[in-house]
Amino acid sequence: MLELLSEHACCGGMQRFYRHDSREIGLPMRFSVFIPGAPADANMPALFYLAGLTCTEETFMVKAGAQKAAAREGMILISPDTSPRGANVAGETEAWDFGVGAGFYVDATEAPWSRHYRMYSYILELRELVLQEFPVDAERIGIFGHSMGGHGALVLALRNPGLFRSVSAFAPIAAPTLCPWGKKAFGGYLGPDQDKWQQYDASMLMAGAHAPFPAGILIDQGLADKFLPDQLYPEVFEAACRTAGQPLELRRHAAYDHGYYFIASFVDEHLRFHGKTLNGG
């Protein structure tokens, strides 16, 4: 059952927050939706946003200021939470980069995480729910995200190019098998066998692909991002795209850091990028 928690008039449309019982997670999950003003019978393109470490379903909608651009593009925005809540797994709140707020968009295979921490499959479940409950065109759905969510967006798009027609990211964790965040998360959720990690590494997935997004992929990266040297590895993804023949626009911005001031500065351009593909322009 889909429960409306709150709604707010915004940019000529409605910003809403929902809760529902998730099949994949086995617990209630929250997500947010911005619906631009449009005729009731009009199916619109939709864009999923996956947030980063410590964030919730509210973070992007409150901080990024994307609703005005979404209204201009006639595009529904959907943002899920970043992990299960209330799983009561021992130790799940002890670290900011693992457990609550840090689901890493993988399906955990290691106990005790495997029961509820299934965020990869949850995003696909949420896509199904959105198609059932909102005026969304199934053929015009894109995905983007930030940091951990940028990693999730790239992986979900590369593994499901038939479900997501466009993809972009802000400062994604582009090669998680190489960085401390990824090694910690993958080791805890997926176990020590690093062969199992590769299915969630965007750079490895891209290296074995053949230009799955011919219209291109957009990534923005701040050069003052303190996580750039040790955690993000955009150059590894860039090299993988060259190998795959995948068009990539990797824009490096002096002075910008890892936070939402950075995202708010370029989110309009990401909405235009997705709109060009999803609206056929």
Side-chain angles (χ1 to χ4, degrees), residues 23 31 63 66 71 73 87 111 134 161 179 188 192 199 202 210-211 216 225 227 237 239 241 250 254 260 268 273 277:
R23 174 185 73 245
F31 66 97
K63 291 185 174 183
E73 300 292 336
F134 302 98
C179 75
Q199 63 184 312
H210 299 284
D225 188 330
F227 301 116
F237 186 73
C241 286
L250 173 54
Y260 268 82
D268 183 271
F273 169 81
T277 296

Coordinates of all heavy atoms in Angstrom, one line a residue, residues 23 31 63 66 71 73 87 111 134 161 179 188 192 199 202 210-211 216 225 227 237 239 241 250 254 260 268 273 277:
R23 N 8.7 -5.1 -1.1 CA 8.9 -6.6 -1.3 C 10.3 -7.0 -1.1 O 10.6 -8.0 -0.5 CB 8.3 -6.9 -2.7 CG 8.5 -8.4 -3.1 CD 8.1 -8.6 -4.5 NE 9.1 -8.0 -5.5 CZ 8.8 -7.0 -6.3 NH1 7.6 -6.4 -6.3 NH2 9.7 -6.5 -7.1
F31 N 10.2 7.3 -0.2 CA 10.7 7.9 -1.4 C 10.0 9.2 -1.6 O 8.9 9.5 -1.1 CB 10.6 7.0 -2.6 CG 9.2 6.7 -3.1 CD1 8.7 7.4 -4.1 CD2 8.5 5.7 -2.5 CE1 7.4 7.1 -4.6 CE2 7.2 5.3 -2.9 CZ 6.7 6.1 -4.0
K63 N 17.6 20.2 -1.2 CA 18.9 20.9 -1.3 C 19.3 21.2 -2.8 O 20.0 22.2 -3.0 CB 20.0 20.1 -0.7 CG 20.0 20.0 0.8 CD 21.3 19.3 1.3 CE 21.3 19.3 2.8 NZ 22.6 18.7 3.3
A66 N 16.1 21.2 -8.0 CA 15.9 20.7 -9.3 C 14.5 20.8 -9.8 O 14.2 20.5 -11.0 CB 16.3 19.2 -9.3
A71 N 10.2 20.9 -14.0 CA 8.9 21.5 -14.5 C 9.1 22.0 -15.9 O 8.2 21.7 -16.8 CB 8.5 22.6 -13.6
E73 N 11.2 20.8 -18.1 CA 11.4 19.6 -19.0 C 10.1 18.7 -19.0 O 10.1 17.8 -19.8 CB 12.6 18.8 -18.5 CG 13.9 19.5 -18.5 CD 14.4 19.9 -19.9 OE1 14.0 19.2 -20.9 OE2 15.2 20.9 -20.1
A87 N 15.9 -2.1 10.3 CA 16.3 -3.5 10.1 C 16.9 -4.1 11.4 O 16.8 -5.3 11.6 CB 17.4 -3.6 9.0
A111 N 25.2 -12.6 5.6 CA 24.4 -12.5 6.8 C 25.2 -11.5 7.8 O 26.4 -11.5 7.8 CB 24.2 -13.8 7.5
F134 N 2.1 6.3 -11.0 CA 2.2 7.7 -11.5 C 2.2 7.8 -13.0 O 2.4 6.7 -13.7 CB 3.6 8.3 -11.0 CG 3.7 8.3 -9.5 CD1 4.4 7.3 -8.8 CD2 3.1 9.3 -8.7 CE1 4.4 7.2 -7.4 CE2 3.1 9.3 -7.3 CZ 3.8 8.3 -6.7
P161 N 20.2 -1.4 -19.4 CA 20.1 -0.3 -20.4 C 18.7 -0.3 -21.1 O 18.3 0.7 -21.6 CB 21.2 -0.6 -21.4 CG 21.5 -2.1 -21.3 CD 21.3 -2.4 -19.8
C179 N 38.6 1.5 -4.0 CA 38.6 2.6 -3.0 C 38.2 2.1 -1.7 O 37.5 1.1 -1.5 CB 37.8 3.8 -3.5 SG 36.0 3.5 -3.3
G188 N 31.7 -6.1 3.4 CA 30.7 -6.3 4.4 C 29.4 -6.9 3.8 O 28.8 -7.9 4.4
P192 N 34.2 -11.7 1.0 CA 35.6 -11.5 0.6 C 35.9 -11.9 -0.8 O 37.0 -11.5 -1.3 CB 36.4 -12.5 1.6 CG 35.4 -13.6 1.9 CD 34.1 -12.9 2.0
Q199 N 30.3 -7.0 -10.4 CA 29.0 -6.7 -10.9 C 28.5 -5.4 -10.5 O 27.5 -4.9 -11.0 CB 28.0 -7.8 -10.6 CG 27.8 -8.0 -9.1 CD 26.8 -9.1 -8.7 OE1 25.8 -9.3 -9.3 NE2 27.2 -9.9 -7.7
A202 N 31.2 0.1 -11.8 CA 30.8 0.7 -13.1 C 31.9 0.7 -14.1 O 31.7 0.5 -15.3 CB 30.3 2.1 -12.9
H210 N 29.7 -2.4 -24.9 CA 29.9 -1.8 -26.2 C 29.0 -0.6 -26.4 O 27.9 -0.8 -27.0 CB 29.6 -2.9 -27.3 CG 30.5 -4.1 -27.2 ND1 31.8 -4.1 -27.6 CD2 30.3 -5.4 -26.6 CE1 32.4 -5.3 -27.4 NE2 31.5 -6.1 -26.8
A211 N 29.4 0.5 -25.9 CA 28.7 1.8 -26.0 C 27.2 1.6 -25.8 O 26.4 1.8 -26.7 CB 28.9 2.3 -27.4
G216 N 25.4 9.3 -25.1 CA 26.4 9.8 -24.1 C 26.1 9.7 -22.7 O 24.9 9.4 -22.3
D225 N 37.2 18.6 -4.6 CA 36.5 17.5 -3.8 C 37.6 16.8 -3.0 O 38.5 16.2 -3.6 CB 35.8 16.6 -4.9 CG 35.0 15.5 -4.3 OD1 35.3 15.1 -3.1 OD2 34.0 15.1 -4.9
F227 N 37.4 14.0 -1.6 CA 37.4 12.6 -1.8 C 37.9 12.2 -3.2 O 38.0 11.0 -3.5 CB 35.9 12.1 -1.7 CG 35.3 12.4 -0.4 CD1 34.2 13.2 -0.3 CD2 35.9 11.8 0.8 CE1 33.7 13.5 1.0 CE2 35.3 12.1 2.0 CZ 34.2 13.0 2.1
F237 N 37.0 5.3 -14.9 CA 35.7 5.1 -15.7 C 35.9 5.7 -17.0 O 35.4 5.2 -18.1 CB 34.6 5.8 -14.9 CG 33.2 5.6 -15.6 CD1 32.6 4.3 -15.6 CD2 32.6 6.6 -16.3 CE1 31.4 4.1 -16.2 CE2 31.4 6.4 -16.9 CZ 30.8 5.2 -16.9
A239 N 38.7 5.9 -18.8 CA 39.4 5.0 -19.6 C 38.6 3.8 -20.0 O 38.7 3.3 -21.2 CB 40.6 4.5 -18.8
C241 N 35.4 3.9 -20.6 CA 34.5 4.4 -21.7 C 35.3 4.4 -23.0 O 34.7 4.1 -24.1 CB 34.0 5.7 -21.3 SG 32.7 5.7 -20.1
L250 N 33.0 14.1 -19.3 CA 33.5 14.2 -18.0 C 34.0 15.6 -17.8 O 35.1 16.0 -18.2 CB 34.6 13.2 -17.7 CG 35.3 13.2 -16.3 CD1 34.3 13.2 -15.2 CD2 36.3 12.1 -16.2
A254 N 37.1 23.5 -11.5 CA 37.9 24.0 -10.4 C 37.1 24.6 -9.3 O 36.0 25.2 -9.6 CB 38.8 25.1 -11.1
Y260 N 26.3 19.7 -1.9 CA 25.2 20.1 -2.6 C 25.2 21.5 -3.2 O 24.5 21.8 -4.1 CB 23.9 19.9 -1.8 CG 23.3 18.6 -2.0 CD1 23.8 17.5 -1.3 CD2 22.3 18.4 -3.0 CE1 23.3 16.2 -1.6 CE2 21.8 17.1 -3.2 CZ 22.3 16.0 -2.5 OH 21.8 14.7 -2.8
D268 N 20.7 21.9 -13.2 CA 19.9 22.3 -14.4 C 20.4 21.7 -15.7 O 19.7 21.2 -16.5 CB 19.9 23.8 -14.5 CG 19.0 24.3 -15.6 OD1 19.5 24.5 -16.7 OD2 17.8 24.6 -15.3
F273 N 20.3 17.6 -20.1 CA 20.9 16.5 -20.7 C 19.9 15.3 -20.8 O 19.7 14.7 -21.8 CB 22.1 16.1 -19.9 CG 22.7 14.7 -20.2 CD1 23.6 14.6 -21.3 CD2 22.5 13.6 -19.5 CE1 24.1 13.4 -21.7 CE2 23.0 12.4 -19.8 CZ 23.8 12.3 -20.9
T277 N 17.4 13.4 -24.3 CA 17.2 12.1 -24.7 C 15.8 11.6 -24.4 O 15.1 11.0 -25.3 CB 18.2 11.1 -23.9 OG1 19.5 11.5 -24.3 CG2 17.9 9.7 -24.2

